[in-house]
Amino acid sequence: MSTFGAKLLNQDMSIARYFCRFNSMQVEQAFTQSKLEQDKKTAQFLACITAIMIMLVTYSDKMIIQPSFWPGIALFSRTISVAVCVITALGVCYIRTPQQLSQAVAAFMTFLFFSMQFMVFTFERHYVLHMFFDVIILITMYFSTLLSLKNATLIGVSYSAFAITVIYFNKDVSSHTFYMVGLAHVSANFAGVVMSSHEHLMRRQLFVRNTQLSQLADEMKRQAFKDALTQLPNRRAFDNNYEGYQKLIKQQNKTKHVCVVLADIDYFKRVNDTHGHEMGDTVLKHFSTFLTNSLRSADDVYRFGGEEFVIVLPLCSLKDATALINGMIARLNAEEFKLGSCSLSIQASFGLTIMREEQQKSVISRADLALYQAKEGGRNQLVIKI
């Protein structure tokens, strides 16, 4: 299962639409983490674009900046702004968590807004067209969703209030112009909140759908590699894992091997014919549980079909594998399987071989031949064929 799909299994993925965030903090953290790399690229892009825009605007600054601020103070402030943009773009590469990115973006936006208002302070007292840059920056901040809706709104409204205050006390403009500037800021924040909330919700809804699809695909994959009756991995799962077993062979030595055992319930057809297929299914489930409980934690067991099972014992000596299987045979002979008033004795034959660097059909064929010899030799026993 994918990282986030597994982490969010059975979690509450409902969205608080008013706050534009998940109700579950764990889901919200998983969502922000999932888009961290994309957000970092967005932040870098915006920082670079801002630096370029500042440099381009500088060429026309002389026409609108008060003579007392040109060129020394104006160019020095622009240099600092460009340097901060470049440092931010480079520094984002070292950010590792969404919280760090959010703090960095908030700090950068705060610096940018103060820098913009210092520029406004240096402009001619009748010049207010800079408000278009304010609107563009506000809309971009909201739409990028780099900040939560709450934090973006707080920064945006605070900036607009500060910008309007600067114009009121520092500019010689008519009441109509001042009204239009205020209206532009109000409209920018309103439109920004609407777009930002829509974008936040849409991204979270898409995240929910992708997560659900990922979980569904993983569940379908698990079912495809699982036997429906016994819940053991099936032959397809063995085929899928065979390459991994081949890699383990390179770790084996003269005493440790990858042992493969083919197991078959003796006289299973007689159980079906005498007691019915329902009893046969119950016997299969009981036998699969018995195998699983009898093996080491590193061992694997697969249902190949019918009453046949494959056991893989990674990095196990032939002596230990023999003792393990013989112990299983002894326990099967010592206990009876009871279902209601019915009592059955379950026995099984086993064929053991050692896996080499070979094709899958070769090792299964060798284990099957050993199993056949166990059946021919009287059943209820282990035969080894190297």
Side-chain angles (χ1 to χ4, degrees):
M1 181 178 288
S2 65
T3 305
F4 297 114
K7 184 184 294 185
L8 302 180
L9 191 63
N10 300 323
Q11 289 290 325
D12 176 20
M13 301 191 70
S14 60
I15 302 173
R17 301 186 68 86
Y18 182 76
F19 296 100
C20 297
R21 58 181 298 122
F22 288 105
N23 287 312
S24 169
M25 183 60 67
Q26 183 178 2
V27 178
E28 181 67 22
Q29 290 173 348
F31 166 72
T32 55
Q33 187 65 44
S34 70
K35 68 186 188 78
L36 176 61
E37 291 305 316
Q38 184 60 46
D39 282 351
K40 286 168 61 176
K41 293 178 182 178
T42 301
Q44 289 176 316
F45 174 76
L46 293 178
C48 292
I49 288 296
T50 302
I52 293 173
M53 291 301 298
I54 291 175
M55 288 188 291
L56 292 176
V57 169
T58 301
Y59 286 105
S60 59
D61 272 351
K62 185 176 180 180
M63 296 182 292
I64 56 175
I65 289 183
Q66 299 178 44
S68 57
F69 294 104
W70 182 266
I73 296 176
L75 293 182
F76 180 72
S77 66
R78 304 302 187 274
T79 302
I80 293 177
S81 297
V82 171
V84 170
C85 290
V86 173
I87 292 172
T88 300
L90 295 175
V92 166
C93 298
Y94 300 96
I95 287 177
R96 294 292 177 266
T97 67
Q99 291 76 16
Q100 291 175 348
L101 180 63
S102 179
Q103 293 169 0
V105 170
F108 176 73
M109 294 305 300
T110 301
F111 168 82
L112 183 61
F113 287 151
F114 275 109
S115 177
M116 279 293 299
Q117 290 312 302
F118 178 78
M119 291 171 60
V120 171
F121 182 77
T122 64
F123 290 156
E124 295 288 353
R125 296 182 63 85
H126 62 276
Y127 185 81
V128 293
L129 293 181
H130 58 79
M131 71 176 182
F132 291 113
F133 289 103
D134 292 341
V135 170
I136 293 173
I137 292 174
L138 285 170
I139 294 297
T140 303
M141 179 192 68
Y142 280 113
F143 190 71
S144 68
T145 66
L146 294 175
L147 297 171
S148 66
L149 180 62
K150 176 183 176 181
N151 290 339
T153 303
L154 177 63
I155 293 176
V157 172
S158 299
Y159 173 68
S160 291
F162 181 61
I164 293 172
T165 302
V166 169
I167 291 177
Y168 181 80
F169 287 104
N170 194 56
K171 296 293 181 181
D172 296 328
V173 296
S174 65
S175 57
H176 178 266
T177 301
F178 181 75
Y179 169 76
M180 295 303 296
V181 169
L183 184 61
H185 276 278
V186 171
S187 300
N189 278 282
F190 179 76
V193 169
V194 172
M195 288 192 299
S196 181
S197 60
H198 176 74
E199 189 71 12
H200 276 290
L201 290 174
M202 185 175 66
R203 292 191 180 190
R204 282 164 175 77
Q205 289 167 352
L206 183 61
F207 176 76
V208 170
R209 292 175 185 175
N210 288 341
T211 301
Q212 291 172 341
L213 285 174
S214 173
Q215 292 173 347
L216 179 60
D218 291 330
E219 179 62 26
M220 292 176 66
K221 183 178 180 180
R222 281 199 304 273
Q223 293 301 326
F225 288 98
K226 183 185 295 184
D227 176 63
L229 177 65
T230 63
Q231 298 301 301
L232 290 176
N234 57 19
R235 184 164 190 161
R236 187 181 288 109
F238 177 78
D239 296 342
N240 189 64
N241 294 336
Y242 189 76
E243 184 179 348
Y245 296 137
Q246 285 289 293
K247 292 179 180 179
L248 282 177
I249 293 176
K250 298 178 181 179
Q251 302 178 24
Q252 67 184 16
N253 50 43
K254 294 182 179 180
T255 58
K256 299 292 185 179
H257 311 281
V258 177
C259 298
V260 178
V261 184
L262 198 59
D264 186 276
I265 301 175
D266 294 334
Y267 302 110
F268 181 73
K269 185 176 184 300
R270 186 183 301 173
V271 175
N272 278 332
D273 294 341
T274 305
H275 302 283
H277 289 282
E278 184 177 353
M279 174 62 78
D281 289 345
T282 305
V283 169
L284 285 171
K285 289 190 285 187
H286 174 76
F287 186 68
S288 66
T289 302
F290 170 79
L291 291 178
T292 302
N293 294 337
S294 300
L295 299 174
R296 306 171 304 172
S297 60
D299 301 334
D300 299 316
V301 57
Y302 304 86
R303 185 188 177 194
F304 252 40
E307 65 272 24
E308 275 194 347
F309 297 80
V310 168
I311 302 169
V312 180
L313 309 173
L315 302 179
C316 181
S317 68
L318 189 60
K319 179 181 178 181
D320 290 342
T322 302
L324 178 65
I325 301 302
N326 283 329
M328 293 167 62
I329 294 174
R331 287 196 298 277
L332 281 173
N333 292 331
E335 64 181 38
E336 287 190 339
F337 172 60
K338 294 183 179 181
L339 181 64
S341 59
C342 182
S343 179
L344 294 175
S345 177
I346 301 177
Q347 295 179 338
S349 300
F350 298 83
L352 186 153
T353 189
I354 293 175
M355 184 184 295
R356 297 188 286 267
E357 292 189 51
E358 57 188 336
Q359 293 184 350
Q360 175 186 327
K361 62 181 181 181
S362 299
V363 67
I364 293 299
S365 177
R366 203 162 53 249
D368 189 52
L369 181 58
L371 176 63
Y372 175 78
Q373 293 177 357
K375 292 285 189 181
E376 288 294 305
R379 293 181 170 83
N380 192 32
Q381 61 180 308
L382 166 67
V383 171
I384 302 172
K385 188 171 184 62
I386 306 301

